Amino acid sequence: MLNKKKLIKIFKTASLCRNFEKITFKKIQEKIIKFPVYLSAGQEFIASSLSQMTSELRVKPMIFAQHRCHSTYLAFGGNMKKLINELQGNISGATFGIGGSASLHSKEINMYGHDGHMGTQGPIGVGACFVSRKPTIVFLGDASAEEDYVLAALGWASTKKLPILFVVEDNNLSILTKKKVRRNWEMSDVAKSFKMGGYQLDDNPKNIYRFKEKIFKKPMLLNINTHRLFWHAGAGQDSYKTFDRYKIIKKKLGILGNKIDQENFIRINKLWKKHSD
Ligand SMILES: Cc1ncc(C[n+]2csc(CCOP(=O)(O)OP(=O)(O)O)c2C)c(N)n1
Ligand SMILES: [Mg+2]
């Protein structure tokens, strides 16, 4: 069960991710960042909860993310200075200033940069897990999960009983196209049909945390419903009514929630200033 102490830890990580994206949003508007940026605000409790779970399990998984990966990188301990530099195209960036927002790579946290083709992280992650048998997390968008090669990779992961966790960050959108327009099935059912654990849940940390003891024992897929706060790419908002888990949990934590949020904002702002050209 997720107790208050652990919830606060997860919130601290989520707050780091959220404030990073909030400030990055401004930097895009100010044209300090000059290439496409995929903000992950709204979805940060997924990576934040999983990083808490893996650290409690004392597991440092291989991480295969996709384009919307800032929160994944930060939540699992990626260096923020290197991310700031990366977003400005500097050689001191996480991927030497040439990977950009979508392909964050970090040897320190075992995170493999994405190549930009939706869903390729599926078969690549399965292959890496198959040869190494190391605990692995593959993050997929709800649209990327639809790619045929992802489905084939799920089958192989199941057949070989790999210690792999597929996480579908289901924001119900492929750029602007809703899931119901694209398909009439769910990834959790696909996983079950491949004889692996397949679950449908929301991004409330207490619901994600429930899977702590189950992950990496056998292949499993968590389809986690979440909400993208900002545009697919760049700085803008599709709707001001979008559900915001961060706001709810911050409110629940009261004064402490506000304090953590403000401290992160000040700290990250300073860091951005220090590392801006
Ligand atoms: C194979 C391929 N087809 C199309 C694209 C263009 N494209 C980039 S992101 C995207 C939508 C991705 O949606 P999803 O996987 O749900 O991730 P989200 O952006 O919602 O986080 C599309 C169609 C691409 N990058 N690769
Ligand atoms: Mg999506």
Side-chain angles (χ1 to χ4, degrees), residues 240-268:
Y240 291 94
K241 288 186 191 149
T242 305
F243 177 86
D244 188 352
R245 173 93 45 205
Y246 182 79
K247 243 190 198 169
I248 294 173
I249 297 190
K250 187 173 84 164
K251 200 169 166 197
K252 188 174 161 190
L253 294 175
I255 297 169
L256 180 63
N258 275 327
K259 186 170 174 274
I260 293 168
D261 185 55
Q262 281 167 17
E263 280 174 0
N264 273 315
F265 183 77
I266 293 166
R267 190 168 74 78
I268 299 168

Side-chain angles (χ1 to χ4, degrees), residues 66-68 116-118 141-144 149 171 173-175 232:
Q66 58 168 34
H67 55 280
R68 202 172 304 290
H117 292 92
M118 287 162 65
D142 50 296
S144 303
Y149 34 87
N171 58 18
L173 289 170
S174 175
I175 305 185
H232 168 70

Side-chain angles (χ1 to χ4, degrees), residues 38-39 43 66-69 114-121 140-147 149 168-177 182-183 228 232-233:
Y38 303 90
L39 296 173
Q43 307 189 178
Q66 58 168 34
H67 55 280
R68 202 172 304 290
C69 61
H114 190 234
D115 58 36
H117 292 92
M118 287 162 65
T120 51
Q121 71 275 25
L140 297 153
D142 50 296
S144 303
E146 294 164 6
E147 299 292 356
Y149 34 87
V168 181
E169 296 186 290
D170 184 352
N171 58 18
N172 192 28
L173 289 170
S174 175
I175 305 185
L176 283 170
T177 310
R182 306 181 333 245
R183 56 170 149 117
R228 188 188 80 205
H232 168 70

Side-chain angles (χ1 to χ4, degrees), residues 56 79 104 158-159 183 201 218 229 231-232 247 250:
E56 282 178 35
N79 185 305
L104 296 178
S158 175
T159 303
R183 56 170 149 117
L201 57 149
K218 44 188 179 178
L229 220 58
W231 281 348
H232 168 70
K247 243 190 198 169
K250 187 173 84 164

